[in-house]
């Protein structure tokens, strides 16, 4: 992978990296830096790329690591809503898009309460629709572990959604 | 995998999945420059990479709080980048000492992609791109700026040349912010004479537009702005010209 290819990879995968970082809890103010870090690390480690992996899986693995570093290193702000606040474009969009943005905001708040490993598996499975083997390769754990984490994450989110519904109904 | 989501959670996830799927186009382009510059900066061939006069000029030309940074690979002390003052020279700014009009032959510019906004954090020391440096000795103004060849990509400039070019454009920037138009023009002429081809041509030309706006040379400013808009439409410094007399 040459420098030129890094640019091409950016074109192909920047949105995926952006989504992954955002949904794994990187603060909105730090996402751009994190995106850069992902592609810089990708460049530095290009010699480690094995053709047996898909490029997307490889990039996803790097994004997960960068997101973890950010989550561990950052000073958490109280207003976690800022991570998921709808963008201006989304606010101006039709109602359904606004509703989707609000759903994402709500889901991200719920994800904040998840264990980091469970969150990673949940995001990659449910939002990125990756397969368990892909996630296993990205995260360096077995497929069984992926399944176990996903199961726990789903259980947690199910409970939160039910609680949220009840709260809404009570109000 | 067992233990699926319940219908309510499934609906929430499906809705969330549709949101925020892509970067906004402008942000994506800016980030691409940043990635490219970070990659270039990390290569052994470059010890110093100029990054971001674009950001400086963006701030100077109107909006934004982009920091000016220059990244020095393998440098040790990391100092915080300095935010630029945000004064905005524009057509509405009072004219200082108008410069005599000079003929500026228009040449078709080439597309020159700007450098990154800033380097990836952790990839090296970050230094202000606005270093404190003694101003170069003033030289007689010449109309060489616009006649400098715009075509072709300049070869990678040496580190010292990059730093010198950045320092000179910083001088222009500070002069325009203080509405010292004659000083700004002198520095721009100096830039055109000393840096051929210049690594930061679009940025220098954007500053030239600002200076011309400030000195009442509106038509020339508009002409150069049109060329820049055509040649380097994605350059943030060029985009910021939309708020000036050249719009």
């Amino acid at each position: 992978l040459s420098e030129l290819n890094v640019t091409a990879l950016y074109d192909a995968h920047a949105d995926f990296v952006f989504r992954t970082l955002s949904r794994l809890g990187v603060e909105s103010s730090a996402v751009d830096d994190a995106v850069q870090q992902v592609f810089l690390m990708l460049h530095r480690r290009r010699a480690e790329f094995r053709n047996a992996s898909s490029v997307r899986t490889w990039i996803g693995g790097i994004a997960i690591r960068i997101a973890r570093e950010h989550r561990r290193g950052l000073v958490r702000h109280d207003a976690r809503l800022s991570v998921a606040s709808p963008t201006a474009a989304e606010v101006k969009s039709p109602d359904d898009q606004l509703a989707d943005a609000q759903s994402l905001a709500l889901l991200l708040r719920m994800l904040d309460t998840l264990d980091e490993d469970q969150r990673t598996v949940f995001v990659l499975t449910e939002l990125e629709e990756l397969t368990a083997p892909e996630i296993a390769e990205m995260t360096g754990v077995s497929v069984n572990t992926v399944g176990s984490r996903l199961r726990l994450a789903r259980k947690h989110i199910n409970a939160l959604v039910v609680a949220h519904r009840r709260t809404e109904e009570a109000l | 995998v067992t233990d699926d989501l319940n219908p309510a959670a499934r609906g929430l996830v499906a809705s969330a999945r549709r949101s925020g799927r892509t970067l906004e186009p402008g942000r994506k382009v800016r980030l691409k420059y940043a990635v490219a510059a970070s990659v270039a900066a990390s290569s052994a061939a470059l010890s110093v990479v100029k990054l971001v006069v674009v950001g400086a000029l963006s701030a100077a030309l109107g909006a934004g709080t982009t920091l000016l940074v220059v990244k020095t690979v393998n440098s040790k002390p990391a100092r915080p980048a300095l935010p630029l003052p945000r004064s905005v020279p524009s057509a509405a700014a009072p004219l200082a000492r108008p410069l005599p009009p000079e003929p500026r032959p228009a040449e078709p510019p080439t597309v020159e992609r700007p450098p990154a906004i800033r380097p990836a954090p952790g990839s090296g020391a970050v230094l202000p791109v606005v270093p404190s440096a003694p101003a170069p000795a003033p030289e007689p103004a010449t109309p060489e700026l616009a006649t400098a060849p715009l075509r072709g990509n300049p070869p990678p400039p040496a580190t010292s040349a990059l730093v010198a070019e950045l320092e000179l454009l910083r001088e222009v920037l500070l002069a325009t912010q203080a509405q010292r138009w004659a000083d700004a023009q002198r520095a721009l002429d100096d830039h055109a004479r000393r840096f051929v081809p210049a690594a930061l041509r679009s940025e220098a030309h954007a500053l030239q537009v600002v200076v011309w706006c400030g000195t009442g040379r509106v038509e020339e400013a508009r002409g150069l702005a049109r060329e820049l808009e055509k040649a380097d439409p994605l350059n943030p410094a060029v985009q910021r010209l939309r708020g000036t007399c050249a719009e």
Side-chain angles (χ1 to χ4, degrees), chain A residues 7-27:
Chain A
T7 305
L9 288 174
Y10 175 88
D11 289 337
H13 299 283
D15 290 329
F16 166 62
V17 169
F18 161 71
R19 285 196 307 273
T20 301
L21 293 168
S22 300
R23 293 167 182 188
L24 290 182
V26 175
E27 295 281 343

Side-chain angles (χ1 to χ4, degrees), chain B residues 109-114 149-157 196-199 201 231-232:
Chain B
T110 186
V111 174
E112 178 191 15
R113 289 288 174 259
L150 292 171
R151 286 190 183 283
N153 293 324
V196 180
R201 284 172 302 183
D232 203 356

Side-chain angles (χ1 to χ4, degrees), chain B residues 20 36 41 50 66 84 94 114 129 136 148 180 183 208 221 237:
Chain B
K50 52 100 184 188
T66 312
L84 283 177
V129 139
R180 290 185 284 106
D183 291 342
Q208 179 65 78

Side-chain angles (χ1 to χ4, degrees), chain A residues 19 30 48 87 112:
Chain A
R19 285 196 307 273
E48 300 171 15
T87 65
D112 278 345

Side-chain angles (χ1 to χ4, degrees), chain A residues 106-168:
Chain A
L106 175 61
L107 182 60
L108 288 179
R109 285 201 301 274
M110 293 177 175
L111 291 176
D112 278 345
T113 66
L114 271 178
D115 163 82
E116 185 174 280
D117 291 332
Q118 292 174 23
R119 176 181 188 146
T120 300
V121 171
F122 187 90
V123 165
L124 295 176
T125 302
E126 300 293 356
L127 297 179
E128 288 303 321
E129 301 180 278
L130 298 178
T131 66
E134 286 176 317
I135 297 168
E137 186 173 345
M138 284 182 183
T139 55
V141 299
S142 69
V143 172
N144 284 342
T145 301
V146 170
S148 171
R149 289 175 180 174
L150 180 58
R151 193 162 44 246
L152 291 170
R154 282 173 169 168
K155 184 177 178 182
H156 185 83
I157 295 298
N158 278 339
L160 288 179
V161 170
V162 169
H164 179 72
R165 281 281 175 95
R166 287 178 180 162
T167 303
E168 278 191 329

Side-chain angles (χ1 to χ4, degrees), chain B residues 102-104 140-149 185 188-194 196 205 208:
Chain B
E102 297 169 357
R104 299 278 171 169
T142 70
E144 289 179 21
L145 175 66
T147 59
Q185 186 61 59
L188 279 170
D189 291 339
D190 190 24
H191 176 269
R193 188 166 39 252
R194 288 170 54 192
V196 180
H205 283 77
Q208 179 65 78

